[in-house]
Every structure is written in C-alpha cells, then in structure tokens.
Amino acid sequence: MGYKWVDVLDIAIELDELYPDVDPMQISFPDLYQKVLDLEQFDDDPSHCGEKILEAIQMAWIEEKD
C-alpha cells in the first residue's frame, strides 16, 4: 500500500533519504509537490493536496534534518 497525503511523516522520512542535499527550509511548494508525486510509493490523488499538507510535509522534513 502506498503513501497518501496524510502520511506526512512517512513522506518526510522518504524525502530526507532520497534528497539528503536538499534543504527543506528552502524548497518551494511546487518543487516539494513534484518530489512527493515522484516518490515510488506515493499513491494518492494529486488533486487532494493543498498548501496546508505541503506545509506539514515541509515541517516534518525539517524535523527529520535535526
């Protein structure tokens, strides 16, 4: 079963593993959105995403970096 938009922490962990050189504090929401869609395990409707979800993913990714 793949990731859904609500799987914020799992997505953040996966992004941190795949993109160790990306600073999540500097990533734009369009870039973040595309990186999530590009995850092999991501399996949700792209239209179900909003700014609050991307913000939550970004914050979780920042936490993973610490």
Side-chain angles (χ1 to χ4, degrees):
M1 190 155 100
Y3 298 140
K4 304 297 183 195
W5 287 113
V6 294
D7 299 321
V8 170
L9 185 56
D10 292 326
I11 290 171
I13 291 168
E14 185 82 9
L15 289 171
D16 194 49
E17 290 174 0
L18 288 173
Y19 304 104
D21 296 332
V22 172
D23 181 352
M25 293 185 74
Q26 301 297 323
I27 195 166
S28 68
F29 281 167
D31 287 347
L32 179 57
Y33 176 78
Q34 192 58 55
K35 284 185 179 351
V36 173
L37 293 183
D38 290 345
L39 292 176
E40 188 175 320
Q41 294 185 49
F42 184 76
D43 182 31
D44 202 353
D45 186 336
S47 68
H48 288 172
C49 179
E51 189 172 319
K52 288 197 181 300
I53 292 173
L54 290 173
E55 192 174 272
I57 292 169
Q58 182 185 35
M59 297 312 292
W61 190 359
I62 291 167
E63 289 293 315
E64 281 303 305
K65 285 279 186 208
D66 288 343

